[in-house]
Each structure stands twice: as C-alpha cells, then as structure tokens.
Amino acid sequence: MKELLRTNNFVYLSFAQAVLKDAGIDVLVFDNHMSVMEGSLGVLPRRLMVADDDLAQAKKVLAEAEPPDPDWA
C-alpha cells in the first residue's frame, strides 16, 4: 500500500474516496480511529492509501477531478 494523500479535511477525504471508487480504485483510510487517542479534536491527519500498482492512476484521477481553485481543499 502507498499513501496517496494525508489530510485533516474530512470533506476532501470523502471527495477523494468517492472519486477513486467511481474510477474503480480501492482505497483504505489509515488513522481514521485515532480521534480516540487525540480526544476527537481532528488534529491527526488521516491517510488515504491505495495499492502500489494503483498509485499513478489514482494520482491522475484525483488531479483531474479537483476543481481549479486551490483554496477549495
């Protein structure tokens, strides 16, 4: 597994998961339950992981799906 992205932005994480799922790319979210350790503050980023062989395609699919405004995410 390779890390595709790391973020605290739950909306962007959900967006990325949906886009990749639609493209047929399986993903796993690591550190999703770390909120128990941090007190549910959302300070620890979640990591979106994909299979090694899917990393290049996942980067391409996600880049094409992102809106042009860099302040969106």
mmCIF file of all heavy atoms in Angstrom, residues 10-63:
data_model
loop_
_atom_site.group_PDB
_atom_site.id
_atom_site.type_symbol
_atom_site.label_atom_id
_atom_site.label_comp_id
_atom_site.label_asym_id
_atom_site.label_seq_id
_atom_site.Cartn_x
_atom_site.Cartn_y
_atom_site.Cartn_z
ATOM 1 N N PHE A 10 -11.951 16.428 6.307
ATOM 2 C CA PHE A 10 -12.818 15.270 6.141
ATOM 3 C C PHE A 10 -13.654 15.349 4.864
ATOM 4 O O PHE A 10 -13.971 14.333 4.258
ATOM 5 C CB PHE A 10 -13.742 15.106 7.355
ATOM 6 C CG PHE A 10 -12.990 14.917 8.635
ATOM 7 C CD1 PHE A 10 -13.076 15.852 9.648
ATOM 8 C CD2 PHE A 10 -12.172 13.819 8.811
ATOM 9 C CE1 PHE A 10 -12.377 15.682 10.837
ATOM 10 C CE2 PHE A 10 -11.466 13.632 9.986
ATOM 11 C CZ PHE A 10 -11.569 14.572 11.002
ATOM 12 N N VAL A 11 -14.013 16.547 4.453
ATOM 13 C CA VAL A 11 -14.794 16.715 3.226
ATOM 14 C C VAL A 11 -13.947 16.312 2.022
ATOM 15 O O VAL A 11 -14.399 15.570 1.142
ATOM 16 C CB VAL A 11 -15.301 18.169 3.091
ATOM 17 C CG1 VAL A 11 -15.969 18.386 1.743
ATOM 18 C CG2 VAL A 11 -16.244 18.512 4.230
ATOM 19 N N TYR A 12 -12.702 16.781 1.991
ATOM 20 C CA TYR A 12 -11.814 16.428 0.877
ATOM 21 C C TYR A 12 -11.517 14.929 0.876
ATOM 22 O O TYR A 12 -11.463 14.299 -0.185
ATOM 23 C CB TYR A 12 -10.520 17.234 0.946
ATOM 24 C CG TYR A 12 -9.606 16.960 -0.218
ATOM 25 C CD1 TYR A 12 -9.949 17.370 -1.496
ATOM 26 C CD2 TYR A 12 -8.415 16.271 -0.035
ATOM 27 C CE1 TYR A 12 -9.133 17.105 -2.579
ATOM 28 C CE2 TYR A 12 -7.588 16.001 -1.112
ATOM 29 C CZ TYR A 12 -7.949 16.422 -2.370
ATOM 30 O OH TYR A 12 -7.139 16.149 -3.439
ATOM 31 N N LEU A 13 -11.340 14.353 2.037
ATOM 32 C CA LEU A 13 -11.077 12.920 2.140
ATOM 33 C C LEU A 13 -12.260 12.125 1.580
ATOM 34 O O LEU A 13 -12.072 11.176 0.806
ATOM 35 C CB LEU A 13 -10.816 12.534 3.599
ATOM 36 C CG LEU A 13 -10.414 11.094 3.858
ATOM 37 C CD1 LEU A 13 -9.094 10.767 3.187
ATOM 38 C CD2 LEU A 13 -10.304 10.853 5.360
ATOM 39 N N SER A 14 -13.460 12.524 1.924
ATOM 40 C CA SER A 14 -14.654 11.871 1.414
ATOM 41 C C SER A 14 -14.765 12.041 -0.102
ATOM 42 O O SER A 14 -15.111 11.100 -0.827
ATOM 43 C CB SER A 14 -15.889 12.442 2.104
ATOM 44 O OG SER A 14 -17.051 11.858 1.603
ATOM 45 N N PHE A 15 -14.471 13.235 -0.575
ATOM 46 C CA PHE A 15 -14.471 13.516 -2.017
ATOM 47 C C PHE A 15 -13.487 12.610 -2.738
ATOM 48 O O PHE A 15 -13.829 11.973 -3.743
ATOM 49 C CB PHE A 15 -14.109 14.995 -2.241
ATOM 50 C CG PHE A 15 -13.734 15.333 -3.658
ATOM 51 C CD1 PHE A 15 -14.729 15.491 -4.617
ATOM 52 C CD2 PHE A 15 -12.415 15.500 -4.025
ATOM 53 C CE1 PHE A 15 -14.390 15.804 -5.934
ATOM 54 C CE2 PHE A 15 -12.071 15.816 -5.323
ATOM 55 C CZ PHE A 15 -13.063 15.966 -6.282
ATOM 56 N N ALA A 16 -12.275 12.514 -2.226
ATOM 57 C CA ALA A 16 -11.240 11.693 -2.856
ATOM 58 C C ALA A 16 -11.646 10.223 -2.877
ATOM 59 O O ALA A 16 -11.471 9.539 -3.889
ATOM 60 C CB ALA A 16 -9.907 11.873 -2.130
ATOM 61 N N GLN A 17 -12.211 9.744 -1.785
ATOM 62 C CA GLN A 17 -12.662 8.353 -1.733
ATOM 63 C C GLN A 17 -13.735 8.091 -2.788
ATOM 64 O O GLN A 17 -13.694 7.066 -3.478
ATOM 65 C CB GLN A 17 -13.223 8.021 -0.354
ATOM 66 C CG GLN A 17 -12.189 7.902 0.717
ATOM 67 C CD GLN A 17 -12.832 7.650 2.076
ATOM 68 O OE1 GLN A 17 -13.670 8.405 2.531
ATOM 69 N NE2 GLN A 17 -12.422 6.579 2.711
ATOM 70 N N ALA A 18 -14.690 8.993 -2.917
ATOM 71 C CA ALA A 18 -15.780 8.820 -3.884
ATOM 72 C C ALA A 18 -15.257 8.837 -5.315
ATOM 73 O O ALA A 18 -15.648 8.002 -6.141
ATOM 74 C CB ALA A 18 -16.834 9.906 -3.686
ATOM 75 N N VAL A 19 -14.360 9.763 -5.614
ATOM 76 C CA VAL A 19 -13.805 9.867 -6.965
ATOM 77 C C VAL A 19 -13.032 8.600 -7.323
ATOM 78 O O VAL A 19 -13.187 8.051 -8.419
ATOM 79 C CB VAL A 19 -12.892 11.107 -7.077
ATOM 80 C CG1 VAL A 19 -12.036 11.072 -8.336
ATOM 81 C CG2 VAL A 19 -13.728 12.380 -7.042
ATOM 82 N N LEU A 20 -12.229 8.122 -6.404
ATOM 83 C CA LEU A 20 -11.430 6.932 -6.670
ATOM 84 C C LEU A 20 -12.302 5.680 -6.765
ATOM 85 O O LEU A 20 -12.060 4.814 -7.604
ATOM 86 C CB LEU A 20 -10.353 6.775 -5.606
ATOM 87 C CG LEU A 20 -9.296 7.885 -5.637
ATOM 88 C CD1 LEU A 20 -8.413 7.813 -4.410
ATOM 89 C CD2 LEU A 20 -8.471 7.823 -6.900
ATOM 90 N N LYS A 21 -13.322 5.611 -5.936
ATOM 91 C CA LYS A 21 -14.245 4.476 -6.005
ATOM 92 C C LYS A 21 -14.942 4.443 -7.361
ATOM 93 O O LYS A 21 -15.078 3.380 -7.975
ATOM 94 C CB LYS A 21 -15.274 4.556 -4.877
ATOM 95 C CG LYS A 21 -16.245 3.403 -4.878
ATOM 96 C CD LYS A 21 -17.257 3.511 -3.755
ATOM 97 C CE LYS A 21 -18.255 2.371 -3.831
ATOM 98 N NZ LYS A 21 -19.306 2.506 -2.837
ATOM 99 N N ASP A 22 -15.378 5.607 -7.830
ATOM 100 C CA ASP A 22 -16.025 5.692 -9.145
ATOM 101 C C ASP A 22 -15.087 5.253 -10.267
ATOM 102 O O ASP A 22 -15.532 4.753 -11.296
ATOM 103 C CB ASP A 22 -16.521 7.107 -9.425
ATOM 104 C CG ASP A 22 -17.765 7.463 -8.636
ATOM 105 O OD1 ASP A 22 -18.397 6.551 -8.052
ATOM 106 O OD2 ASP A 22 -18.104 8.657 -8.587
ATOM 107 N N ALA A 23 -13.777 5.447 -10.062
ATOM 108 C CA ALA A 23 -12.774 5.050 -11.061
ATOM 109 C C ALA A 23 -12.368 3.586 -10.904
ATOM 110 O O ALA A 23 -11.512 3.098 -11.644
ATOM 111 C CB ALA A 23 -11.548 5.953 -10.949
ATOM 112 N N GLY A 24 -12.946 2.905 -9.928
ATOM 113 C CA GLY A 24 -12.633 1.506 -9.727
ATOM 114 C C GLY A 24 -11.347 1.249 -8.962
ATOM 115 O O GLY A 24 -10.778 0.169 -9.037
ATOM 116 N N ILE A 25 -10.894 2.238 -8.208
ATOM 117 C CA ILE A 25 -9.667 2.118 -7.432
ATOM 118 C C ILE A 25 -10.037 1.922 -5.967
ATOM 119 O O ILE A 25 -10.724 2.754 -5.377
ATOM 120 C CB ILE A 25 -8.778 3.364 -7.609
ATOM 121 C CG1 ILE A 25 -8.380 3.509 -9.080
ATOM 122 C CG2 ILE A 25 -7.550 3.288 -6.709
ATOM 123 C CD1 ILE A 25 -7.660 4.803 -9.410
ATOM 124 N N ASP A 26 -9.584 0.818 -5.396
ATOM 125 C CA ASP A 26 -9.849 0.533 -3.985
ATOM 126 C C ASP A 26 -8.956 1.389 -3.099
ATOM 127 O O ASP A 26 -7.771 1.580 -3.398
ATOM 128 C CB ASP A 26 -9.593 -0.942 -3.679
ATOM 129 C CG ASP A 26 -10.600 -1.854 -4.355
ATOM 130 O OD1 ASP A 26 -11.766 -1.441 -4.510
ATOM 131 O OD2 ASP A 26 -10.215 -2.978 -4.720
ATOM 132 N N VAL A 27 -9.523 1.902 -2.016
ATOM 133 C CA VAL A 27 -8.771 2.736 -1.076
ATOM 134 C C VAL A 27 -8.999 2.255 0.350
ATOM 135 O O VAL A 27 -10.013 1.617 0.639
ATOM 136 C CB VAL A 27 -9.170 4.228 -1.178
ATOM 137 C CG1 VAL A 27 -8.882 4.780 -2.557
ATOM 138 C CG2 VAL A 27 -10.618 4.442 -0.814
ATOM 139 N N LEU A 28 -8.064 2.562 1.193
ATOM 140 C CA LEU A 28 -8.190 2.354 2.629
ATOM 141 C C LEU A 28 -7.828 3.654 3.316
ATOM 142 O O LEU A 28 -6.926 4.362 2.871
ATOM 143 C CB LEU A 28 -7.246 1.258 3.120
ATOM 144 C CG LEU A 28 -7.584 -0.169 2.767
ATOM 145 C CD1 LEU A 28 -6.467 -1.098 3.232
ATOM 146 C CD2 LEU A 28 -8.893 -0.588 3.404
ATOM 147 N N VAL A 29 -8.519 3.963 4.402
ATOM 148 C CA VAL A 29 -8.189 5.143 5.196
ATOM 149 C C VAL A 29 -7.480 4.667 6.455
ATOM 150 O O VAL A 29 -8.046 3.904 7.238
ATOM 151 C CB VAL A 29 -9.446 5.960 5.555
ATOM 152 C CG1 VAL A 29 -9.069 7.153 6.425
ATOM 153 C CG2 VAL A 29 -10.169 6.414 4.299
ATOM 154 N N PHE A 30 -6.253 5.097 6.620
ATOM 155 C CA PHE A 30 -5.483 4.780 7.818
ATOM 156 C C PHE A 30 -5.637 5.928 8.811
ATOM 157 O O PHE A 30 -5.830 7.080 8.423
ATOM 158 C CB PHE A 30 -4.012 4.613 7.486
ATOM 159 C CG PHE A 30 -3.644 3.304 6.831
ATOM 160 C CD1 PHE A 30 -4.600 2.433 6.355
ATOM 161 C CD2 PHE A 30 -2.326 2.958 6.695
ATOM 162 C CE1 PHE A 30 -4.251 1.235 5.750
ATOM 163 C CE2 PHE A 30 -1.957 1.768 6.089
ATOM 164 C CZ PHE A 30 -2.915 0.907 5.617
ATOM 165 N N ASP A 31 -5.529 5.613 10.072
ATOM 166 C CA ASP A 31 -5.582 6.577 11.178
ATOM 167 C C ASP A 31 -6.974 7.167 11.363
ATOM 168 O O ASP A 31 -7.122 8.214 11.987
ATOM 169 C CB ASP A 31 -4.546 7.702 11.005
ATOM 170 C CG ASP A 31 -3.144 7.173 10.780
ATOM 171 O OD1 ASP A 31 -2.793 6.164 11.416
ATOM 172 O OD2 ASP A 31 -2.410 7.752 9.963
ATOM 173 N N ASN A 32 -7.988 6.501 10.847
ATOM 174 C CA ASN A 32 -9.353 7.012 10.942
ATOM 175 C C ASN A 32 -9.860 7.012 12.383
ATOM 176 O O ASN A 32 -10.662 7.853 12.757
ATOM 177 C CB ASN A 32 -10.273 6.181 10.058
ATOM 178 C CG ASN A 32 -11.522 6.910 9.668
ATOM 179 O OD1 ASN A 32 -11.534 8.130 9.598
ATOM 180 N ND2 ASN A 32 -12.575 6.179 9.398
ATOM 181 N N HIS A 33 -9.395 6.100 13.196
ATOM 182 C CA HIS A 33 -9.889 5.987 14.565
ATOM 183 C C HIS A 33 -8.908 6.572 15.589
ATOM 184 O O HIS A 33 -9.044 6.317 16.778
ATOM 185 C CB HIS A 33 -10.203 4.524 14.889
ATOM 186 C CG HIS A 33 -11.246 3.960 13.986
ATOM 187 N ND1 HIS A 33 -12.574 4.317 14.068
ATOM 188 C CD2 HIS A 33 -11.160 3.095 12.954
ATOM 189 C CE1 HIS A 33 -13.252 3.688 13.128
ATOM 190 N NE2 HIS A 33 -12.419 2.938 12.444
ATOM 191 N N MET A 34 -7.975 7.352 15.129
ATOM 192 C CA MET A 34 -7.019 7.979 16.040
ATOM 193 C C MET A 34 -7.669 9.085 16.866
ATOM 194 O O MET A 34 -7.089 9.575 17.823
ATOM 195 C CB MET A 34 -5.815 8.531 15.270
ATOM 196 C CG MET A 34 -4.910 7.438 14.718
ATOM 197 S SD MET A 34 -4.238 6.355 15.994
ATOM 198 C CE MET A 34 -3.188 7.486 16.876
ATOM 199 N N SER A 35 -8.898 9.471 16.521
ATOM 200 C CA SER A 35 -9.573 10.517 17.283
ATOM 201 C C SER A 35 -9.761 10.104 18.736
ATOM 202 O O SER A 35 -9.840 10.950 19.622
ATOM 203 C CB SER A 35 -10.926 10.859 16.652
ATOM 204 O OG SER A 35 -11.780 9.734 16.682
ATOM 205 N N VAL A 36 -9.827 8.811 18.984
ATOM 206 C CA VAL A 36 -9.936 8.322 20.361
ATOM 207 C C VAL A 36 -8.691 8.731 21.146
ATOM 208 O O VAL A 36 -8.770 9.148 22.299
ATOM 209 C CB VAL A 36 -10.114 6.788 20.375
ATOM 210 C CG1 VAL A 36 -10.056 6.244 21.791
ATOM 211 C CG2 VAL A 36 -11.413 6.398 19.708
ATOM 212 N N MET A 37 -7.543 8.640 20.498
ATOM 213 C CA MET A 37 -6.275 8.974 21.152
ATOM 214 C C MET A 37 -6.082 10.489 21.300
ATOM 215 O O MET A 37 -5.458 10.951 22.225
ATOM 216 C CB MET A 37 -5.099 8.385 20.362
ATOM 217 C CG MET A 37 -5.155 6.877 20.228
ATOM 218 S SD MET A 37 -5.087 6.006 21.796
ATOM 219 C CE MET A 37 -3.428 6.359 22.288
ATOM 220 N N GLU A 38 -6.604 11.249 20.350
ATOM 221 C CA GLU A 38 -6.386 12.691 20.348
ATOM 222 C C GLU A 38 -7.505 13.469 21.027
ATOM 223 O O GLU A 38 -7.438 14.689 21.118
ATOM 224 C CB GLU A 38 -6.206 13.192 18.916
ATOM 225 C CG GLU A 38 -7.472 13.027 18.083
ATOM 226 C CD GLU A 38 -7.385 13.640 16.724
ATOM 227 O OE1 GLU A 38 -7.343 14.879 16.646
ATOM 228 O OE2 GLU A 38 -7.385 12.875 15.737
ATOM 229 N N GLY A 39 -8.543 12.798 21.462
ATOM 230 C CA GLY A 39 -9.654 13.480 22.113
ATOM 231 C C GLY A 39 -10.654 14.067 21.146
ATOM 232 O O GLY A 39 -11.324 15.051 21.447
ATOM 233 N N SER A 40 -10.755 13.521 19.948
ATOM 234 C CA SER A 40 -11.713 13.946 18.906
ATOM 235 C C SER A 40 -11.530 15.390 18.464
ATOM 236 O O SER A 40 -12.481 16.060 18.106
ATOM 237 C CB SER A 40 -13.151 13.723 19.391
ATOM 238 O OG SER A 40 -13.375 12.359 19.638
ATOM 239 N N LEU A 41 -10.291 15.871 18.469
ATOM 240 C CA LEU A 41 -10.016 17.243 18.051
ATOM 241 C C LEU A 41 -9.777 17.370 16.553
ATOM 242 O O LEU A 41 -9.815 18.464 16.013
ATOM 243 C CB LEU A 41 -8.797 17.792 18.798
ATOM 244 C CG LEU A 41 -8.949 17.892 20.311
ATOM 245 C CD1 LEU A 41 -7.636 18.309 20.939
ATOM 246 C CD2 LEU A 41 -10.053 18.857 20.675
ATOM 247 N N GLY A 42 -9.488 16.277 15.868
ATOM 248 C CA GLY A 42 -9.249 16.320 14.433
ATOM 249 C C GLY A 42 -7.879 16.829 14.045
ATOM 250 O O GLY A 42 -7.689 17.290 12.927
ATOM 251 N N VAL A 43 -6.918 16.772 14.958
ATOM 252 C CA VAL A 43 -5.583 17.299 14.657
ATOM 253 C C VAL A 43 -4.684 16.287 13.965
ATOM 254 O O VAL A 43 -3.731 16.673 13.302
ATOM 255 C CB VAL A 43 -4.876 17.831 15.930
ATOM 256 C CG1 VAL A 43 -5.612 19.024 16.484
ATOM 257 C CG2 VAL A 43 -4.737 16.757 16.970
ATOM 258 N N LEU A 44 -4.981 15.011 14.110
ATOM 259 C CA LEU A 44 -4.165 13.989 13.452
ATOM 260 C C LEU A 44 -4.730 13.720 12.062
ATOM 261 O O LEU A 44 -5.906 13.392 11.918
ATOM 262 C CB LEU A 44 -4.149 12.693 14.262
ATOM 263 C CG LEU A 44 -3.493 12.784 15.639
ATOM 264 C CD1 LEU A 44 -3.618 11.457 16.362
ATOM 265 C CD2 LEU A 44 -2.037 13.169 15.503
ATOM 266 N N PRO A 45 -3.901 13.857 11.045
ATOM 267 C CA PRO A 45 -4.409 13.644 9.685
ATOM 268 C C PRO A 45 -4.709 12.180 9.397
ATOM 269 O O PRO A 45 -4.096 11.283 9.966
ATOM 270 C CB PRO A 45 -3.275 14.152 8.804
ATOM 271 C CG PRO A 45 -2.058 14.055 9.642
ATOM 272 C CD PRO A 45 -2.501 14.247 11.064
ATOM 273 N N ARG A 46 -5.663 11.971 8.524
ATOM 274 C CA ARG A 46 -5.986 10.636 8.032
ATOM 275 C C ARG A 46 -5.182 10.421 6.759
ATOM 276 O O ARG A 46 -4.917 11.364 6.017
ATOM 277 C CB ARG A 46 -7.472 10.518 7.701
ATOM 278 C CG ARG A 46 -8.378 10.185 8.860
ATOM 279 C CD ARG A 46 -8.258 11.107 9.992
ATOM 280 N NE ARG A 46 -9.295 10.862 11.009
ATOM 281 C CZ ARG A 46 -9.368 11.546 12.091
ATOM 282 N NH1 ARG A 46 -8.518 12.499 12.349
ATOM 283 N NH2 ARG A 46 -10.299 11.291 12.983
ATOM 284 N N ARG A 47 -4.797 9.176 6.502
ATOM 285 C CA ARG A 47 -4.031 8.843 5.303
ATOM 286 C C ARG A 47 -4.889 7.998 4.373
ATOM 287 O O ARG A 47 -5.486 7.021 4.802
ATOM 288 C CB ARG A 47 -2.766 8.072 5.666
ATOM 289 C CG ARG A 47 -1.791 8.897 6.469
ATOM 290 C CD ARG A 47 -0.571 8.103 6.855
ATOM 291 N NE ARG A 47 -0.940 7.119 7.876
ATOM 292 C CZ ARG A 47 -0.268 5.988 8.097
ATOM 293 N NH1 ARG A 47 0.788 5.677 7.382
ATOM 294 N NH2 ARG A 47 -0.670 5.155 9.044
ATOM 295 N N LEU A 48 -4.946 8.404 3.119
ATOM 296 C CA LEU A 48 -5.668 7.653 2.106
ATOM 297 C C LEU A 48 -4.655 6.794 1.359
ATOM 298 O O LEU A 48 -3.726 7.310 0.741
ATOM 299 C CB LEU A 48 -6.389 8.602 1.145
ATOM 300 C CG LEU A 48 -7.378 7.960 0.197
ATOM 301 C CD1 LEU A 48 -8.515 7.288 0.967
ATOM 302 C CD2 LEU A 48 -7.942 8.987 -0.757
ATOM 303 N N MET A 49 -4.848 5.489 1.438
ATOM 304 C CA MET A 49 -3.891 4.531 0.891
ATOM 305 C C MET A 49 -4.504 3.800 -0.300
ATOM 306 O O MET A 49 -5.701 3.533 -0.336
ATOM 307 C CB MET A 49 -3.518 3.510 1.970
ATOM 308 C CG MET A 49 -3.088 4.114 3.291
ATOM 309 S SD MET A 49 -1.580 5.059 3.214
ATOM 310 C CE MET A 49 -0.386 3.742 3.082
ATOM 311 N N VAL A 50 -3.629 3.500 -1.278
ATOM 312 C CA VAL A 50 -4.032 2.713 -2.443
ATOM 313 C C VAL A 50 -2.991 1.623 -2.672
ATOM 314 O O VAL A 50 -1.871 1.699 -2.158
ATOM 315 C CB VAL A 50 -4.166 3.590 -3.713
ATOM 316 C CG1 VAL A 50 -5.257 4.629 -3.543
ATOM 317 C CG2 VAL A 50 -2.863 4.255 -4.081
ATOM 318 N N ALA A 51 -3.344 0.634 -3.463
ATOM 319 C CA ALA A 51 -2.394 -0.423 -3.811
ATOM 320 C C ALA A 51 -1.221 0.178 -4.583
ATOM 321 O O ALA A 51 -1.387 1.173 -5.311
ATOM 322 C CB ALA A 51 -3.084 -1.491 -4.650
ATOM 323 N N ASP A 52 -0.066 -0.415 -4.425
ATOM 324 C CA ASP A 52 1.141 0.082 -5.095
ATOM 325 C C ASP A 52 0.910 0.278 -6.595
ATOM 326 O O ASP A 52 1.312 1.302 -7.159
ATOM 327 C CB ASP A 52 2.312 -0.891 -4.896
ATOM 328 C CG ASP A 52 2.748 -1.001 -3.442
ATOM 329 O OD1 ASP A 52 2.144 -0.343 -2.576
ATOM 330 O OD2 ASP A 52 3.706 -1.744 -3.174
ATOM 331 N N ASP A 53 0.284 -0.696 -7.222
ATOM 332 C CA ASP A 53 0.063 -0.641 -8.665
ATOM 333 C C ASP A 53 -0.950 0.416 -9.088
ATOM 334 O O ASP A 53 -0.988 0.803 -10.256
ATOM 335 C CB ASP A 53 -0.406 -2.007 -9.178
ATOM 336 C CG ASP A 53 0.645 -3.083 -9.009
ATOM 337 O OD1 ASP A 53 1.842 -2.749 -8.860
ATOM 338 O OD2 ASP A 53 0.271 -4.272 -9.014
ATOM 339 N N ASP A 54 -1.764 0.887 -8.162
ATOM 340 C CA ASP A 54 -2.798 1.883 -8.472
ATOM 341 C C ASP A 54 -2.370 3.322 -8.197
ATOM 342 O O ASP A 54 -3.119 4.253 -8.512
ATOM 343 C CB ASP A 54 -4.069 1.605 -7.655
ATOM 344 C CG ASP A 54 -4.784 0.347 -8.102
ATOM 345 O OD1 ASP A 54 -4.611 -0.060 -9.270
ATOM 346 O OD2 ASP A 54 -5.522 -0.229 -7.283
ATOM 347 N N LEU A 55 -1.202 3.518 -7.634
ATOM 348 C CA LEU A 55 -0.809 4.864 -7.188
ATOM 349 C C LEU A 55 -0.788 5.884 -8.322
ATOM 350 O O LEU A 55 -1.368 6.965 -8.198
ATOM 351 C CB LEU A 55 0.549 4.821 -6.481
ATOM 352 C CG LEU A 55 1.023 6.154 -5.903
ATOM 353 C CD1 LEU A 55 0.052 6.661 -4.844
ATOM 354 C CD2 LEU A 55 2.420 6.004 -5.316
ATOM 355 N N ALA A 56 -0.137 5.572 -9.425
ATOM 356 C CA ALA A 56 -0.043 6.534 -10.536
ATOM 357 C C ALA A 56 -1.422 6.871 -11.093
ATOM 358 O O ALA A 56 -1.736 8.049 -11.326
ATOM 359 C CB ALA A 56 0.868 5.988 -11.632
ATOM 360 N N GLN A 57 -2.246 5.859 -11.295
ATOM 361 C CA GLN A 57 -3.597 6.087 -11.815
ATOM 362 C C GLN A 57 -4.434 6.884 -10.821
ATOM 363 O O GLN A 57 -5.190 7.781 -11.204
ATOM 364 C CB GLN A 57 -4.278 4.757 -12.149
ATOM 365 C CG GLN A 57 -5.666 4.902 -12.718
ATOM 366 C CD GLN A 57 -5.694 5.581 -14.084
ATOM 367 O OE1 GLN A 57 -4.679 5.629 -14.778
ATOM 368 N NE2 GLN A 57 -6.842 6.107 -14.452
ATOM 369 N N ALA A 58 -4.296 6.581 -9.535
ATOM 370 C CA ALA A 58 -5.058 7.295 -8.507
ATOM 371 C C ALA A 58 -4.670 8.775 -8.479
ATOM 372 O O ALA A 58 -5.544 9.641 -8.363
ATOM 373 C CB ALA A 58 -4.826 6.660 -7.142
ATOM 374 N N LYS A 59 -3.388 9.074 -8.596
ATOM 375 C CA LYS A 59 -2.941 10.474 -8.631
ATOM 376 C C LYS A 59 -3.541 11.195 -9.825
ATOM 377 O O LYS A 59 -3.991 12.339 -9.721
ATOM 378 C CB LYS A 59 -1.421 10.546 -8.688
ATOM 379 C CG LYS A 59 -0.744 10.224 -7.388
ATOM 380 C CD LYS A 59 0.766 10.334 -7.528
ATOM 381 C CE LYS A 59 1.469 10.040 -6.227
ATOM 382 N NZ LYS A 59 2.935 10.165 -6.331
ATOM 383 N N LYS A 60 -3.545 10.520 -10.972
ATOM 384 C CA LYS A 60 -4.073 11.128 -12.196
ATOM 385 C C LYS A 60 -5.580 11.379 -12.070
ATOM 386 O O LYS A 60 -6.050 12.470 -12.382
ATOM 387 C CB LYS A 60 -3.790 10.205 -13.377
ATOM 388 C CG LYS A 60 -4.298 10.729 -14.687
ATOM 389 C CD LYS A 60 -4.021 9.754 -15.818
ATOM 390 C CE LYS A 60 -4.621 10.284 -17.105
ATOM 391 N NZ LYS A 60 -4.655 9.299 -18.151
ATOM 392 N N VAL A 61 -6.315 10.381 -11.606
ATOM 393 C CA VAL A 61 -7.768 10.505 -11.466
ATOM 394 C C VAL A 61 -8.117 11.624 -10.490
ATOM 395 O O VAL A 61 -8.993 12.450 -10.759
ATOM 396 C CB VAL A 61 -8.385 9.160 -11.007
ATOM 397 C CG1 VAL A 61 -9.812 9.329 -10.537
ATOM 398 C CG2 VAL A 61 -8.286 8.129 -12.112
ATOM 399 N N LEU A 62 -7.422 11.677 -9.376
ATOM 400 C CA LEU A 62 -7.713 12.698 -8.372
ATOM 401 C C LEU A 62 -7.360 14.092 -8.882
ATOM 402 O O LEU A 62 -8.117 15.047 -8.668
ATOM 403 C CB LEU A 62 -6.960 12.386 -7.079
ATOM 404 C CG LEU A 62 -7.396 13.139 -5.841
ATOM 405 C CD1 LEU A 62 -8.881 12.968 -5.570
ATOM 406 C CD2 LEU A 62 -6.587 12.701 -4.641
ATOM 407 N N ALA A 63 -6.238 14.218 -9.565
ATOM 408 C CA ALA A 63 -5.838 15.523 -10.111
ATOM 409 C C ALA A 63 -6.841 16.026 -11.138
ATOM 410 O O ALA A 63 -7.161 17.226 -11.177
ATOM 411 C CB ALA A 63 -4.451 15.425 -10.733
#
